Amino acid sequence: MYTINKKWLLVLLLMVTCTITNSQIRRGYRGSPFNLMDGLSVTAKAGPNIFFGDLVDEGRIGYSAGIVADREMTRTLSARAQLMGGVMQGTQIFPNTGQAYAEFDNMYFEFTFGGTYRPLNDLMGYFKERTFQPYALLQAGFVYYNATEYWGPASAGTSGAEPGEKWRTATGLAPIVGAGGGASIWLTPRLSANFEFAGNLAFSDKLDAHDVWYDSWDPLGTEHDTDPYDFYYSVNLGITYLIQDSPFRNEPRFNRRSYMKTRRFFQPKTRSRSSRPSSHMRRRWLFF
């Protein structure tokens, strides 16, 4: 099974949480009341997930989709809540025959809170219309799983096995911690494209319904526990919609670049035919 140092994930998560909590929220004007909508955006996203659990040798790619609500807390940090769902899967290969001994699928839902850090805003200054805005991500929450493991063709010689039939099931709720990163690509003042990847450590070994193994099968031998945690990646593409702009102001040196990028989105409306006629039209009326 894929191994990861969960202690470092927890330490990093606590660091981001403390930073967001203790950071002074610098606003573009003084005395403004807190408004939850300031700097709030939503992202709809979808993509593959890659499962690393017990004895999963191939076919580990599933799919996920979800939505993220993100709010700017400072010029470099934001807080977010995410809801994801999808299907995980994987196949265990019997080494002697190369056939599938067992396979599983898991319908899951994941709910996490976290924070992001935007290094370019720190290093180069705050700029809302920056074309490429990378960020680092830390998150924690819970994953609900409903997994089923099935016997594969290579299990035909195992006592009690029926290839294609259910072997065992598992349902539950487990804590998760995760880390990753991504980038936003500015499209318009309201829209941006989004790419994100994250690795999530689940504090459960049942996301694939496989938590024990035997040193012999016929008759069943000694039972052994598998590694205590499951791990999975998710890679997503999405579209972000900015609900309300934040009160933070661009650094003065970006003012001209901001104007050049946004001016075509704020052109004054042309006059309708019912408005005052042009000089050309007035000359035509005078002629007739």
Side-chain angles (χ1 to χ4, degrees), residues 32-284:
S32 58
F34 178 82
N35 185 349
L36 180 63
M37 301 299 289
D38 286 345
L40 183 66
S41 64
V42 293
T43 302
K45 60 181 184 175
N49 62 67
I50 309 169
F51 182 81
F52 289 87
D54 305 307
L55 307 178
V56 176
D57 302 310
E58 61 181 38
R60 62 179 75 244
I61 298 177
Y63 58 87
S64 304
I67 189 168
V68 180
D70 184 280
R71 185 187 186 278
E72 284 188 79
M73 303 301 291
T74 72
R75 287 172 168 81
T76 58
L77 299 174
S78 69
R80 57 185 262 166
Q82 174 177 268
L83 178 64
M84 295 288 292
V87 174
M88 299 175 183
Q89 60 187 17
T91 302
Q92 175 193 355
I93 300 300
F94 193 65
N96 294 342
T97 64
Q99 292 182 306
Y101 188 86
E103 55 189 5
F104 87 97
D105 58 47
N106 172 27
M107 181 176 292
Y108 82 101
F109 293 95
E110 165 196 315
F111 184 67
T112 56
F113 288 99
T116 61
Y117 167 69
R118 292 170 171 79
L120 293 188
N121 282 354
D122 222 356
L123 299 173
M124 303 174 63
Y126 185 78
F127 183 27
K128 295 178 187 290
E129 293 81 25
R130 181 169 282 119
T131 301
F132 183 77
Q133 183 77 276
Y135 59 87
L137 164 68
L138 288 175
Q139 61 186 5
F142 295 91
V143 58
Y144 168 81
Y145 56 90
N146 185 4
T148 303
E149 188 173 16
Y150 302 89
W151 295 106
S155 66
T158 301
S159 177
E162 292 290 338
E165 297 295 324
K166 290 183 181 180
W167 180 0
R168 46 192 167 186
T169 61
T171 302
L173 189 70
I176 57 172
V177 293
S184 295
I185 300 174
W186 190 89
L187 301 176
T188 75
R190 290 287 183 184
L191 296 176
S192 60
N194 178 262
F195 166 78
E196 184 175 290
F197 68 93
N200 294 297
L201 177 69
F203 290 84
S204 172
D205 190 34
K206 295 186 177 182
L207 270 64
D208 54 3
H210 191 106
D211 57 348
V212 296
W213 62 277
Y214 303 90
D215 53 19
S216 62
W217 290 98
D218 195 12
L220 294 181
T222 304
E223 183 178 283
H224 301 272
D225 291 331
T226 57
D227 292 336
Y229 307 112
D230 287 331
F231 188 86
Y232 61 95
Y233 287 104
S234 59
V235 182
N236 294 285
L237 296 176
I239 292 292
T240 300
Y241 177 76
L242 178 63
I243 296 176
Q244 183 167 303
D245 201 3
S246 72
F248 307 123
R249 296 175 180 173
N250 286 334
E251 297 289 339
R253 64 177 179 273
F254 296 124
N255 286 346
R256 177 170 175 78
R257 290 173 60 186
S258 176
Y259 168 73
M260 297 299 292
K261 293 188 73 171
T262 60
R263 62 178 180 174
R264 65 189 178 94
F265 298 102
F266 302 102
Q267 294 293 339
K269 295 182 179 180
T270 58
R271 292 182 177 181
S272 64
R273 290 181 178 269
S274 61
S275 62
R276 185 178 179 182
S278 65
S279 59
H280 172 69
M281 294 299 294
R282 290 199 298 273
R283 285 197 299 271
R284 287 186 59 189

Side-chain angles (χ1 to χ4, degrees), residues 11-23 77-78 114-117 136-138:
V11 170
L12 290 173
L13 184 64
L14 289 172
M15 289 174 61
V16 167
T17 303
C18 292
T19 302
I20 292 176
T21 303
N22 297 323
S23 293
L77 299 174
S78 69
T116 61
Y117 167 69
L137 164 68
L138 288 175

